[in-house]
Amino acid sequence: MVHRLRRFAADHWVMAIGLLVLLYLFVPIAVVAAMSFRDAGRNAPYTLQNYRFTWDHWANPFGTAGIGDAFWTSIAIALISTLVATILGTLMSFALARHRFRGRAATNTLIFLPMATPEIVMGSSLLALFVASGVQLGFWTIVIAHVMFCLSFVVVTVKARLAGLDPRLQEAAMDLYANETQTFLRVTLPLVMPGIVAAALLSFSLSFDDFIVTNFNSGTVVTFPMFVWGASQRGIPPQINVIGTAMFVISFLIVLIGQLPRLRRKA
């Protein structure tokens, strides 16, 4: 019996550590979800003591003044930034992965700079650029800033997908009399699409969640992370926990739906 337990522990200790790490990561999310159902006012202590369950906050998630405008502003910025960054990043990924040109190595290096640069440095640099150019800070300066740092993540993600793509599949399509456009639309693009979708989801999350770069370049525009930061100075409204929990659930469902085809193929 003892030998079996030792054998089981030796075979599964890596999985056990992984589960503990996941548990550690999900504990704060579980607390936020629990607080979204807590019957308490805005200035109530952020604690689970004397917990009383209620659906009232979920019935009116935009009940706090200003939270709805801030949320939809962040959604709009994230959608526009994601669309622009995904299109530009995908085109750049194909150029870097499929073509040889002068400056290709330098471009590959420069792509990583926005990822390695501290956000406070990037935010202050963009602020100086906008002020020196006479550009009024607001919605579109936030979009430009978000596109700049999302672009690197898109290029890296899509390029990794392209690197793992078997070129023989496209050669086979060309051998079967498909032209370049047909090969791209029917073979290359469907194979690369999971990487593009993953890059878009990552870009949306980074844009929606960004605070530091946004705070430097927002002007009078208030995004959801900025609203949360401002509200935390006076007392966190329960609706913030509701929106945070809802965004997590939606993201989890999107990832789960994306994994269903692969799980069905394995079954």
Side-chain angles (χ1 to χ4, degrees):
M1 182 67 178
V2 176
H3 176 72
R4 290 182 178 178
L5 290 175
R6 289 179 178 175
R7 183 66 180 273
F8 181 84
D11 293 339
H12 297 84
W13 67 272
V14 175
M15 183 180 68
I17 293 176
L19 291 176
L20 289 175
V21 172
L22 287 176
L23 179 63
Y24 172 77
L25 293 175
F26 278 94
V27 165
I29 299 174
V31 172
V32 170
M35 295 299 290
S36 68
F37 295 101
R38 180 178 178 234
D39 186 9
R42 177 176 183 141
N43 296 319
Y46 208 78
T47 176
L48 295 176
Q49 294 180 353
N50 301 321
Y51 187 90
R52 291 180 299 174
F53 184 87
T54 181
W55 286 100
D56 293 345
H57 308 313
W58 282 84
N60 188 19
F62 300 130
T64 301
I67 192 172
D69 294 336
F71 174 79
W72 292 117
T73 298
S74 287
I75 290 291
I77 291 172
L79 288 175
I80 297 173
S81 302
T82 298
L83 179 62
V84 176
T86 302
I87 293 174
L88 294 178
T90 301
L91 295 176
M92 290 177 64
S93 300
F94 274 94
L96 292 171
R98 297 296 179 84
H99 301 281
R100 307 290 178 182
F101 54 89
R102 183 176 299 177
R104 179 172 176 268
T107 304
N108 277 316
T109 303
L110 291 173
I111 286 297
F112 287 94
L113 286 182
M115 301 173 61
T117 304
E119 287 194 54
I120 192 168
V121 175
M122 181 181 294
S124 58
S125 300
L126 286 170
L127 174 62
L129 175 64
F130 291 138
V131 171
S133 302
V135 178
Q136 184 177 1
L137 300 178
F139 183 91
W140 291 108
T141 55
I142 300 176
V143 171
I144 294 172
H146 286 199
V147 169
M148 288 192 65
F149 66 76
C150 288
L151 191 61
S152 297
F153 291 93
V154 174
V155 172
V156 171
T157 305
V158 178
K159 189 181 173 185
R161 181 69 178 180
L162 285 169
L165 189 63
D166 190 350
R168 292 175 297 181
L169 296 174
Q170 300 165 83
E171 294 171 0
M174 299 290 286
D175 289 339
L176 294 173
Y177 304 104
N179 57 37
E180 293 182 355
T181 303
Q182 291 173 329
T183 301
F184 176 78
L185 294 177
R186 298 187 179 183
V187 178
T188 307
L189 188 59
L191 291 174
V192 181
M193 187 57 67
I196 297 175
V197 173
L201 292 175
L202 179 61
S203 296
F204 183 87
S205 299
L206 291 171
S207 177
F208 182 84
D209 193 48
D210 182 77
F211 171 77
I212 298 176
V213 176
T214 305
N215 192 41
F216 275 99
N217 301 279
S218 60
T220 59
V221 176
V222 178
T223 62
F224 184 70
M226 295 177 63
F227 179 88
V228 174
W229 178 79
S232 66
Q233 310 300 313
R234 304 180 297 274
I236 299 177
Q239 287 79 6
I240 289 179
N241 300 311
V242 173
I243 294 176
T245 304
M247 293 296 292
F248 171 78
V249 172
I250 293 172
S251 301
F252 180 79
L253 290 177
I254 291 174
V255 174
L256 183 61
I257 292 172
Q259 294 296 319
L260 286 179
R262 190 176 69 174
L263 295 176
R264 290 177 180 174
R265 286 195 298 267
K266 288 184 177 180

